[in-house]
Amino acid sequence: MSLVNMIQQLLAGMGASLAIFVLTLLFSLPLGLIIAFGRMSKSKPIVFVSNIYISIMRGTPLMLQLLVVYFGPYYLFGMRLSSEYRFYATIIGFSINYAAYFAEIYRSGIQSIPIGQYEAAKVLGYTKPQTFWRIIFPQMAKRVLPPVTNEVITLVKDTSLAFVLAYAEMFTIAKQIAAAQTTIVPLFVAGIFYYLFNLVVAVLMEQLEKRLNYYQ
Amino acid sequence: MKLLEISQLKKNYHSLEVLHDISISVNEGEVVAIIGPSGSGKSTLLRCATMLEKVSAGEISYMGKQAVSTDEAGKAVYAENLQLKEIQNYFGLVFQNFNLFPHYSVLKNIVDAPISVQKRNKKEAMQQAKQLLEKMGLEDKGNAYPSQLSGGQQQRVAIARALALNPQILFFDEPTSALDPELTGEILKVIRQLAKERMTMVIVTHEMAFAKEVADRVIFMDGGYIVEQGTPQEVFENPKMDRTKQFLARFSS
């Protein structure tokens, strides 16, 4: 297999990795906010459930969670799922795991906003949703951007865990080529691709941070 | 007409009563200064009147509309949300720490509540905000962000923000305590100007000379009680109570 051919195959796998990455962020970023609300809720049962959820998601391996999401429906309910479920299971597994981490980041961000901001909003007559979306959320978003960037960069590399479900993302393909050709070159090239991917992510996040620096 | 009427207000934190049977009324156009040592309950009283804290018992009404009443068991009952929302419109509050919104420009800080809370016309709200900024001597700061302003400028923006909602009564919670003496003057000048325009105000302050000059009535609080109240002359020059004399002795020199 020529180098060009290998790179072509890896790039195709990179497309799949990118799909996992984008879809996971699309679902986990908002889901994290809902879980953060749950964690800060006034209702004790909701807080309890949220805490258990975060505890399990952070306390067990993501690889195991992916396997549970993929095989769970069959072993628990005897459901026969189509082969497309492989992809859905990957997205669901990543999303529910990352949402737990984002929830804790959001919570720390929300709780770092001074109480005076809430009081000023209340006296000015803002409703609770208005207070959150107009006053608290924009300030929280700025504060949590550095830790969120950390998670996003980790996610780029974590997409390689989809190999446990034999989902054909970049790392799975690299391993297959490496095994067939008995060479580590494809793994090495894949490593370079992950690095370049993250370089782009880091630059984009830095730009976003700069853009939010219009106020102190 | 009585704009604000508070009667027999009590505030407990668990078993500790921090405000005991406070009764105050404020007439239209009146400037009331509340003085007293730290921990005397004057800020708590202001926070109860502006509904940032819940009272334990007593009555509060604005413009004859009851916000809080007391049931037979002696417990405070708040009016329904719709009524409270309406009452919320009657007053504004200026905080010790300004509490401006750091992510909004000065102009946006002032117009956001009129537009998104009071649903007023955007153009009209902008025009009013510009007039208010001019009045505060900040006409060139509309596009600045709060962090780019001095403390005195930030507090003036906070006053403009409160005035933009056209309140009937404006509360000040130690408006100059976070400012150095040079900047304090700017704020006092603005409050003096408002007093001249017959704005109804209740000011919690440590600035005795200012309270004496600007207030129509002075209330001295200590230990959660109103110890004495009267005109500035009565309270500052002929205090009746020993506690008032003792407190004011430190300022007379």
Side-chain angles (χ1 to χ4, degrees):
Chain A
M1 182 188 280
S2 72
L3 193 65
V4 175
N5 195 328
M6 183 186 80
I7 287 173
Q8 272 174 350
Q9 285 193 43
L10 286 176
L11 279 177
M14 177 102 148
S17 299
L18 191 66
I20 298 174
F21 174 79
V22 170
L23 290 170
T24 298
L25 287 184
L26 194 68
F27 294 119
S28 63
L29 284 169
L31 185 60
L33 198 55
I34 294 169
I35 299 163
F37 285 146
R39 185 94 157 72
M40 296 182 295
S41 164
K42 279 186 188 135
S43 143
K44 280 198 176 146
I46 295 177
V47 174
F48 181 74
V49 171
S50 310
N51 281 345
I52 298 265
Y53 177 87
I54 290 170
S55 175
I56 292 173
M57 287 300 156
R58 295 202 304 183
T60 60
L62 174 53
M63 197 189 285
L64 179 63
Q65 291 165 18
L66 288 169
L67 290 170
V68 168
V69 173
Y70 185 55
F71 293 110
Y74 175 72
Y75 283 107
L76 289 174
F77 310 110
M79 291 163 74
R80 295 242 169 238
L81 292 161
S82 68
S83 58
E84 274 154 38
Y85 182 63
R86 198 185 295 280
F87 177 64
Y88 298 138
T90 308
I91 302 301
I92 293 169
F94 275 109
S95 297
I96 60 175
N97 176 277
Y98 270 77
Y101 286 92
F102 286 137
E104 283 298 88
I105 292 173
Y106 294 153
R107 182 178 64 87
S108 71
I110 291 169
Q111 288 177 343
S112 76
I113 306 294
I115 184 104
Q117 294 287 303
Y118 291 93
E119 292 185 343
K122 182 164 190 277
V123 171
L124 291 168
Y126 288 88
T127 61
K128 278 190 177 162
Q130 278 178 329
T131 302
F132 183 76
W133 292 111
R134 302 187 73 84
I135 311 300
I136 306 302
F137 182 80
Q139 297 184 58
M140 183 271 294
K142 179 184 160 103
R143 289 181 187 210
V144 301
L145 209 54
V148 164
T149 301
N150 260 341
E151 287 305 316
V152 170
I153 283 175
T154 305
L155 173 62
V156 170
K157 294 173 289 179
D158 273 357
T159 56
S160 63
L161 286 173
F163 84 88
V164 291
L165 304 187
Y167 179 68
E169 46 67 56
M170 182 161 58
F171 193 71
T172 310
I173 291 170
K175 263 184 35 168
Q176 283 166 355
I177 303 172
Q181 313 270 320
T182 55
T183 162
I184 61 157
V185 174
L187 294 174
F188 191 72
V189 174
I192 293 171
F193 283 170
Y194 280 117
Y195 178 74
L196 291 175
F197 192 163
N198 264 331
L199 210 57
V200 173
V201 169
V203 168
L204 287 177
M205 294 305 264
E206 208 181 303
Q207 291 299 318
L208 192 59
E209 229 172 285
K210 271 195 194 135
R211 189 172 285 194
L212 287 177
N213 256 346
Y214 70 90
Y215 72 92
Q216 287 299 305
Chain B
M1 183 176 141
K2 286 204 167 79
L3 278 188
L4 167 64
E5 181 126 49
I6 294 176
S7 68
Q8 302 197 302
L9 185 149
K10 281 189 179 107
K11 168 74 184 167
N12 296 337
Y13 288 113
H14 305 292
S15 60
L16 182 71
E17 194 170 283
V18 294
L19 291 176
H20 319 275
D21 283 324
I22 301 282
S23 299
I24 293 177
S25 62
V26 180
N27 294 314
E28 193 170 352
E30 198 178 17
V31 178
V32 177
I34 305 179
I35 60 170
S38 295
S40 59
K42 49 196 196 311
S43 281
T44 307
L45 173 60
L46 217 60
R47 293 172 59 82
C48 286
T50 52
M51 322 227 194
L52 289 175
E53 302 267 354
K54 290 218 156 171
V55 306
S56 309
E59 285 171 15
I60 301 176
S61 42
Y62 284 91
M63 321 256 298
K65 290 208 172 77
Q66 200 146 52
V68 186
S69 54
T70 303
D71 64 10
E72 289 104 42
K75 271 195 70 181
V77 183
Y78 278 79
E80 56 184 287
N81 280 336
L82 212 68
Q83 172 122 339
L84 286 180
K85 268 232 125 35
E86 198 188 333
I87 289 169
Q88 193 95 46
N89 266 314
Y90 295 151
F91 62 81
L93 171 64
V94 175
F95 296 86
Q96 183 178 342
N97 305 314
F98 333 132
N99 291 335
L100 292 174
F101 303 133
H103 58 305
Y104 283 169
S105 68
V106 163
L107 206 55
K108 176 100 167 154
N109 260 285
I110 300 172
V111 299
D112 195 58
I115 293 170
S116 60
V117 174
Q118 292 187 331
K119 313 284 178 207
R120 271 156 55 190
N121 178 280
K122 203 175 162 184
K123 228 172 147 184
E124 176 261 327
M126 284 297 250
Q127 213 162 17
Q128 185 206 18
K130 281 180 183 148
Q131 280 168 2
L132 282 168
L133 277 180
E134 206 170 310
K135 193 168 161 181
M136 299 293 149
L138 296 170
E139 54 274 19
D140 54 339
K141 298 290 183 194
N143 294 321
Y145 284 86
S147 63
Q148 299 167 324
L149 304 180
S150 72
Q153 291 171 328
Q154 288 189 47
Q155 190 61 300
R156 279 183 278 158
V157 174
I159 295 171
R161 179 175 72 171
L163 288 171
L165 292 167
N166 302 320
Q168 304 292 321
I169 178 168
L170 193 51
F171 295 95
F172 292 83
D173 187 6
E174 302 190 20
T176 59
S177 292
L179 302 173
D180 65 49
E182 256 186 334
L183 300 178
T184 299
E186 309 176 358
I187 301 306
L188 299 185
K189 204 174 122 196
V190 168
I191 298 175
R192 208 173 280 136
Q193 177 63 34
L194 291 171
K196 225 180 258 168
E197 295 166 14
R198 309 299 297 155
M199 179 80 206
T200 312
M201 293 183 280
V202 176
I203 308 165
V204 168
T205 184
H206 289 298
E207 299 283 330
M208 295 303 145
F210 178 69
K212 193 173 168 181
E213 173 207 328
V214 80
D216 300 308
R217 187 150 49 96
V218 176
I219 296 174
F220 172 64
M221 283 183 74
D222 187 37
Y225 291 97
I226 291 181
V227 177
E228 188 161 355
Q229 60 174 311
T231 64
Q233 282 68 33
E234 285 167 353
V235 175
F236 285 106
E237 277 149 37
N238 296 305
K240 290 183 198 71
M241 310 299 283
D242 285 343
R243 184 66 188 98
T244 318
K245 286 176 195 162
Q246 192 192 352
F247 177 73
L248 290 173
R250 271 175 280 168
F251 296 97
S252 56
S253 51

